[in-house]
Amino acid sequence: MFAPDRRVGPFPQSLMPAKVYTDKDADLGVFANKTLAVIGFGSQGHAHALNLKESGCKVVIGLYEGSKSKPVAEQHGFEVLSTAEAVRRADVIMVALPDMKQAEVYENDILPNLTKGKCLLFSHGLAVHFNLITLHPDIDVIMVAPKGPGHIVRRLYTEGKGMPALIAVAQNKSKKAKKIALAWAKGIGSTRAGVLETTFKEECETDLFGEQVVLCGGTSELILAGFETLVEAGYQPEMAYFECLHELKLICDLIYESGISGMRFSISETAKYGDLTRGKRIITSKTKAEMKKILKEIQTGKFTKEWVSEHKGGLKNYNKMLEAGRNHQIEKTGARLRGMMPWMTKKNIKGPAAAY
């Protein structure tokens, strides 16, 4: 018997489509005679800094003494300062640091150098929303969060395009905080694509949920479970790799370009029927109940407290789990098969992502 789709409504009727801000809604003149500082030169930091610079803004980079990112930033023509000096000199300061490094750097180098009238900018809401830092009372606090990794933010900008982004205002002491956020979004190219307004709470909680339940945690475990099921049943690991990992990109690309219905339009009737009738046996009411449990852990701050504790404890469990993942059979199988695919771009994913 074909099961009805439990995902069909009802949804809150009060939810209206969000307003989309574009180039005409933002004014880079907001930054006239102002200095912008980007603290950190990693994935998001380098993209924001380069895009803003090429949009005509004055940008300096703040780094800790001995940072390996310093020569890289200088090669791109930036003046590199200590974090404290960058904060003192700048009018708008972007905290482009990993979540678990923000509190320490903020306490030691950022907060002592903040003064009335400055603006602090984040690309993710965790440190602010979960009170890992104490906000200076006399400044603007905003968010500009592109919905993609920094290297794509940069690439799209150089192509004359833009990455969609979210903006939010946590403190609006100047009464101009939203204009500053929109100007920054324009400077990095995001208003070319479209910018939506949210809150630090909504961005943070939905971002963590998406990472844990669907994009990273859920997808990784689904791939591994499918691979292991086929291998344990006696099928060759190469066959399992192709069916449970390699071809996933083809399906994700279809969904990305045309939505779930568009993907279903493009696959065979057999695949479509299997999707419609078997998918619900994998993602069950128990799965959704666990999703709600994970969401509650995010909303209450339980996940953040756990992550802070793990980080302060030296990341022992974190590193152990990463190592186990690197040693899984699927990684060895995949490395060998990808070597047979000369058309596939081999990427060095270490890059500047976590640099500061």
Side-chain angles (χ1 to χ4, degrees):
M1 176 69 97
F2 186 82
D5 191 343
R6 64 177 182 282
R7 299 182 183 88
V8 176
F11 296 108
Q13 296 300 308
S14 60
L15 294 180
M16 299 295 291
K19 174 177 171 57
V20 178
Y21 296 91
T22 58
D23 277 343
K24 63 180 176 58
D25 301 304
D27 179 15
L28 277 172
V30 169
F31 295 145
N33 303 314
K34 294 188 181 297
T35 297
L36 314 181
V38 176
I39 310 302
F41 203 69
S43 177
Q44 286 293 335
H46 90 283
H48 285 239
L50 287 166
N51 292 4
L52 287 162
K53 180 184 176 186
E54 292 176 17
S55 291
C57 301
K58 181 181 178 181
V59 183
V60 298
I61 306 299
L63 298 173
Y64 67 87
E65 186 67 32
S67 170
K68 295 179 180 179
S69 294
K70 182 178 180 181
V72 180
E74 289 177 335
Q75 286 171 10
H76 285 289
F78 289 105
E79 181 180 8
V80 179
L81 308 168
S82 69
T83 299
E85 180 59 25
V87 174
R88 281 193 290 269
R89 194 182 298 186
D91 301 284
V92 184
I93 303 105
M94 177 187 186
V95 183
L97 306 174
D99 288 329
M100 292 299 104
K101 291 188 180 296
Q102 289 184 14
E104 181 182 359
V105 176
Y106 179 82
E107 192 68 27
N108 294 334
D109 298 316
I110 297 177
L111 182 59
N113 297 292
L114 288 174
T115 54
K116 184 177 181 179
K118 291 183 183 287
C119 178
L120 200 59
L121 183 149
F122 295 83
S123 62
H124 179 44
L126 189 144
V128 173
H129 177 51
F130 288 113
N131 301 311
L132 301 186
I133 63 175
T134 301
L135 298 179
H136 188 294
D138 297 319
I139 65 170
D140 291 337
V141 181
I142 62 175
M143 181 196 305
V144 179
K147 296 310 294 176
H151 69 281
I152 303 296
V153 174
R154 176 63 183 153
R155 190 187 78 196
L156 290 174
Y157 180 91
T158 62
E159 294 173 352
K161 304 169 187 174
M163 174 70 71
L166 305 176
I167 61 167
V169 175
Q171 286 188 178
N172 185 21
K173 297 300 178 178
S174 71
K175 307 303 180 186
K176 298 177 182 178
K178 184 174 177 179
K179 290 183 178 180
I180 296 172
L182 284 169
W184 190 286
K186 184 170 185 174
I188 64 172
S190 288
T191 51
R192 297 172 181 174
V195 172
L196 305 178
E197 188 171 8
T198 183
T199 63
F200 274 67
K201 170 183 167 62
E202 184 175 56
E203 183 279 336
C204 179
E205 293 178 358
T206 57
D207 188 73
L208 292 175
F209 179 82
E211 291 168 351
Q212 295 172 25
V213 171
V214 180
L215 306 176
C216 305
T219 298
S220 297
E221 287 302 316
L222 185 64
I223 291 169
L224 292 173
F227 177 88
E228 291 168 358
T229 299
L230 287 177
V231 171
E232 289 164 6
Y235 297 99
Q236 296 180 75
E238 291 80 6
M239 301 301 105
Y241 180 87
F242 278 126
E243 294 304 326
C244 298
L245 190 154
H246 177 77
E247 293 188 26
L248 181 63
K249 181 184 185 305
L250 309 178
I251 299 301
C252 285
D253 283 348
L254 289 171
I255 294 172
Y256 180 80
E257 294 163 2
S258 306
I260 295 174
S261 293
M263 175 274 291
R264 286 172 173 161
F265 177 81
S266 299
I267 61 177
S268 71
E269 286 187 337
T270 302
K272 199 152 27 196
Y273 183 74
D275 164 6
L276 295 169
T277 61
R278 267 57 177 179
K280 296 177 183 62
R281 290 167 58 180
I282 301 302
I283 306 302
T284 66
S285 58
K286 289 184 179 180
T287 312
K288 192 168 181 181
E290 195 64 29
M291 289 181 176
K292 291 181 178 180
K293 183 178 178 181
I294 290 172
L295 179 58
K296 183 63 68 175
E297 291 173 355
I298 291 169
Q299 292 170 329
T300 61
K302 181 179 179 181
F303 167 78
T304 298
K305 290 177 183 176
E306 178 186 319
W307 176 217
V308 169
S309 176
E310 174 68 19
H311 202 274
K312 288 182 176 179
L315 297 172
K316 295 176 183 177
N317 294 325
Y318 171 85
N319 288 325
K320 183 178 179 180
M321 290 184 286
L322 282 177
E323 183 65 19
R326 285 191 291 267
N327 291 327
H328 193 284
Q329 185 182 10
I330 198 171
E331 298 295 351
K332 298 172 183 176
T333 302
R336 186 171 71 256
L337 292 177
R338 289 191 295 273
M340 298 164 52
M341 305 174 192
W343 66 88
M344 182 182 293
T345 302
K346 307 301 188 294
K347 295 182 179 179
N348 174 14
I349 59 174
K350 292 181 181 179
Y356 164 43

